[in-house]
Amino acid sequence: MKDAKQHWEKIYQTKGDHEVSWFQDKPELSMRLIQKYTGEEKDVAIIDVGGGNSLLAKVLVDSGYDNLSVLDISKCALERSKERILDAPVNWIESDILSYKFSYQFKVWHDRAVFHFLTAKNDIQKYIDQVSGAVVKEGYLILGTFSEEGPLKCSGLEITQYSKSKFKDLFEGNFELVECFDEVHKTPLGTDQNFIWVVFKRN
Ligand SMILES: C[S@@+](CC[C@H](N)C(=O)[O-])C[C@H]1O[C@@H](n2cnc3c(N)ncnc32)[C@H](O)[C@@H]1O
């Protein structure tokens, strides 16, 4: 997905943290969910997929989590994130999530505002195959996307909106639904974005 990479590199080369709608000064909800599903065990393998310029990696490292991977298609995004936690032993992965070949598995797969950029049916299926292969049995998928009340586009790109039933149709089979709820994200520009969050447990 060369076009996607170019798009995201340009975004991070030209915009600061507070100029992009998804930025959060404190990724509190993600952190709370990760703590809940790791039982605060600090050495479990966690991946933040499409971590971008999020502070989540920093907050996890500062809280003592020491088996963290961050994957993003944008080198620039990873570098920005790396600068915040220079010495931490984070596994930084520059790749398209659809093509990365995982050689290990995770207890927690976290994705906030990345999955919804997939709009083609076969890309959505590829993502499901990736997460199904990369999460350990009884591990968790924590996923936040725009809901059916949310925006239709983000960063100039079309997105797919989700609902609880759409999530169930896609992921049940390999995963069991644990919880699903709505969230309103206040963007740095002061507008509201409707998200839906889901947590699945790997069968
Ligand atoms: C809206 S941002 C969300 C960033 C972060 N998760 C957060 O909550 O702040 C979407 C991120 O996904 C990354 N991304 C988009 N498509 C991707 C793909 N196919 N593979 C990996 N990363 C991707 C972008 O580079 C960007 O950093």
Side-chain angles (χ1 to χ4, degrees):
M1 295 239 284
K2 193 155 170 267
D3 290 352
K5 179 163 177 64
Q6 275 171 358
H7 173 86
W8 289 105
E9 294 296 9
K10 187 155 178 228
I11 293 286
Y12 288 112
Q13 279 158 10
T14 56
K15 290 189 188 286
D17 289 341
H18 291 93
E19 293 174 295
V20 293
S21 60
W22 56 88
F23 190 72
Q24 297 174 294
D25 284 317
K26 290 187 186 150
E28 279 169 346
L29 175 57
S30 296
M31 194 58 194
R32 209 164 57 237
L33 289 169
I34 290 171
Q35 284 171 331
K36 181 172 174 183
Y37 291 102
T38 55
E40 302 219 32
E41 267 182 78
K42 301 293 167 76
D43 59 351
V44 295
I46 299 172
I47 184 164
D48 187 20
V49 170
N53 57 335
S54 168
L55 292 177
L56 183 61
K58 176 170 170 43
V59 175
L60 285 167
V61 166
D62 288 350
S63 306
Y65 286 91
D66 62 4
N67 193 352
L68 176 63
S69 298
V70 179
L71 178 148
D72 203 283
I73 200 167
S74 161
K75 181 175 185 185
C76 188
L78 291 175
E79 277 170 0
R80 205 184 288 184
S81 202
K82 246 186 246 181
E83 276 167 18
R84 296 185 174 122
I85 34 176
L86 284 178
D87 298 326
V90 173
N91 179 26
W92 304 100
I93 306 169
E94 181 191 336
S95 176
D96 185 330
I97 188 54
L98 300 184
S99 56
Y100 189 67
K101 293 203 181 352
F102 288 102
S103 54
Y104 38 85
Q105 290 185 304
F106 303 93
K107 168 81 183 212
V108 172
W109 173 296
H110 172 271
D111 169 339
R112 174 177 178 271
V114 186
F115 177 62
H116 64 200
F117 286 105
L118 304 176
T119 52
K121 211 174 162 192
N122 61 331
D123 286 346
I124 291 171
Q125 188 55 50
K126 265 191 226 161
Y127 183 101
I128 295 168
D129 293 344
Q130 286 286 62
V131 64
S132 300
V135 172
V136 294
K137 195 168 160 23
E138 307 211 331
Y140 293 93
L141 161 61
I142 299 174
L143 189 56
T145 70
F146 287 159
S147 75
E148 291 182 338
E149 284 77 50
L152 290 165
K153 282 188 159 191
C154 179
S155 175
L157 301 175
E158 303 279 336
I159 60 94
T160 305
Q161 296 180 323
Y162 284 95
S163 62
K164 184 175 173 181
S165 64
K166 273 196 199 169
F167 281 138
K168 279 167 70 100
D169 287 348
L170 290 174
F171 290 97
E172 272 187 353
N174 289 335
F175 291 89
E176 176 191 327
L177 187 116
V178 180
E179 61 174 309
C180 186
F181 58 90
D182 295 317
E183 181 220 2
V184 178
H185 164 57
K186 264 269 176 261
T187 74
L189 307 167
T191 55
D192 288 349
Q193 288 182 337
N194 291 75
F195 273 71
I196 180 165
W197 284 84
V198 69
V199 178
F200 282 106
K201 188 172 187 177
R202 183 76 172 95
N203 293 333

